Amino acid sequence: MSPSTSPRYFTETEVARHCTKESCWVLMGTRVYDVTAFLRMHPGGEALIRSRSGKDVRQAMEGPPHRHSENARRWMEQYYIGELNRDSVTGEAQTLRARNKANKQTEGERAQQTTEAKDEDERDPYSLCSSVDLDKDLVDWRKPLAWQVGHLREKYDAWVHQPVDRPIRLFGNPIMEAITKTSWYWVPIVWLPIVFYLSWHCYTTLAQGTTRLALTSGFSIPIHKYFFPVLFMMGWFLWSFIEYCIHRFVFHMNPPAHNYYLITLHFLLHGQHHKSPFDGSRLVFPPGLASLVVAVFYMSIHCVLPDILGVCVFVGGLGGYVVYDMIHYYLHYGSPKKGSYLYSLKAYHVKHHFEHQRSGFGITTTFWDHPFNTTIPDEKF
């Protein structure tokens, strides 16, 4: 809702009626929020919000057990729809006046408004997705963002870590834009057949009994087919470390405020995900771009280990990557059962987005955050 628009008023009865999965409203004082779109995103699960539907959530926001961050409160404002009028009579009167005013519109006026709304949607399809103030924001959301963010300079870091519930358009060119987006199911469609084929190839090759690992020039040990699961898990474990390093040192590099190109690169690699963490088309790596990382991973292993042993470790790492991308998508859009491993991961990852952007870099596991001292303080949800 634009600051210049007069707020709508709702009675307590009206607010209380919106207590379902299809329509869920909550209060913060006298402010009314429609949080329906946020139900499946909430790290504590949708049931936690629905149990407070129609009620004042200020105490829950303050905690205990969890005190919500300023970013979480800022995010909440995107769902603001109006004010609570505690005087039911006054509220009903206002609703009646609004209804009578609407009934006075002619069919021609309504048709004209529909046409104008349609034209506006065609000009800017993203304008209806969130309550970003198009006039006051540091960038122009009506235009592609990729070439704008570098000009933010010292304001970039604070801006990019203030998340919004709004899709991002990076490029004006439709082909370049399409390359940066993909649906989650393309990851298993593209990579799992390769994982299955290479796993079969590695196992059958080791089963021939001719593979040996040379430890010295005169001594080697045979590698049996039953070693394949061990080598596979070694690759998976290695990927978890690479996942951590990429996320921490590449995706969360701190670009100098004066360097336009590094700021732009950071935004393209990961900044856009922190600005719009629930943009479903950019939660997994497009296979074309991911193939570059996969190729580097393969060549690195191939330089260290003999042919088939390197492939065994590589396929384990590739399998770990597929699981990583699927888990990352699920942490943003899934609703894991409270108390489960994925539930704790979801809470951990959401805190990384909203409160602790300089820590909590593990996605599929928090293991590597411990030795590198980047764990997020434990808090119950």
Side-chain angles (χ1 to χ4, degrees), residues 40 60 97 120 123-124 137-138 140 151 196 223 234-235 241 252 265 276 280 351-352 354 361 377 379:
R40 62 184 300 201
R97 284 197 298 270
E120 181 63 25
R123 288 195 299 272
D124 182 13
D137 201 86
L138 296 178
D140 187 349
H151 296 295
F196 293 144
I223 303 298
M234 285 176 58
F241 177 67
H252 280 271
L265 178 63
S276 182
K351 284 198 287 184
H352 164 74
F354 284 83
F361 300 110
E379 240 179 15

Side-chain angles (χ1 to χ4, degrees), residues 82 125 136 164 167 176 179 202 293 342 355 372:
K136 294 183 179 180
V164 297
M176 292 182 64
I179 291 175
C202 291
V293 178
L342 287 176
E355 300 178 61
F372 290 101

Side-chain angles (χ1 to χ4, degrees), residues 44-245:
E46 65 179 55
L48 197 61
I49 298 183
R50 288 180 59 190
S51 67
R52 295 182 170 91
S53 59
K55 302 175 183 176
D56 194 333
V57 298
R58 284 180 298 180
Q59 184 174 347
M61 295 284 284
E62 287 293 332
H66 173 65
R67 187 181 188 280
H68 290 66
S69 66
E70 289 304 316
N71 270 337
R73 297 165 191 274
R74 189 180 294 110
W75 181 276
M76 183 80 165
E77 290 305 311
Q78 296 175 116
Y79 306 119
Y80 171 72
I81 58 173
E83 297 288 329
L84 178 68
N85 190 332
R86 297 188 181 277
D87 186 343
S88 299
V89 176
T90 303
E92 294 296 337
Q94 290 174 333
T95 303
L96 181 60
R97 284 197 298 270
R99 188 178 302 151
N100 290 337
K101 181 178 180 180
N103 290 337
K104 291 179 182 179
Q105 290 181 308
T106 64
E107 292 298 325
E109 289 173 333
R110 291 176 182 172
Q112 181 181 359
Q113 289 177 351
T114 302
T115 302
E116 291 174 349
K118 181 179 179 181
D119 292 341
E120 181 63 25
D121 289 351
E122 291 174 350
R123 288 195 299 272
D124 182 13
Y126 298 102
S127 63
L128 303 180
C129 297
S130 79
S131 58
V132 172
D133 193 326
L134 299 180
D135 297 320
K136 294 183 179 180
D137 201 86
L138 296 178
V139 298
D140 187 349
W141 285 85
R142 303 176 185 89
K143 300 177 181 178
L145 299 187
W147 314 125
Q148 299 185 59
V149 294
H151 296 295
L152 295 180
R153 300 174 70 85
E154 68 278 354
K155 297 179 181 178
Y156 170 74
D157 188 69
W159 175 85
V160 82
H161 289 123
Q162 294 175 3
V164 297
D165 188 7
R166 178 186 180 90
I168 285 176
R169 186 175 184 90
L170 292 176
F171 301 104
N173 184 291
I175 296 178
M176 292 182 64
E177 179 70 6
I179 291 175
T180 67
K181 304 168 74 172
T182 190
S183 299
W184 67 268
Y185 49 80
W186 282 112
V187 173
I189 286 176
V190 170
W191 297 113
L192 281 185
I194 299 175
V195 171
F196 293 144
Y197 170 76
L198 290 180
S199 296
W200 172 82
H201 170 70
C202 291
Y203 184 80
T204 55
T205 301
L206 294 179
Q208 296 174 7
T210 59
T211 303
R212 302 183 70 88
L213 177 63
L215 299 180
T216 66
S217 58
F219 180 73
S220 64
I221 59 174
I223 303 298
H224 198 270
K225 63 183 179 181
Y226 297 117
F227 274 86
F228 172 69
V230 176
L231 295 170
F232 185 94
M233 294 309 299
M234 285 176 58
W236 195 313
F237 185 72
L238 177 60
W239 163 256
S240 71
F241 177 67
I242 294 173
E243 164 199 319
Y244 174 87
C245 290

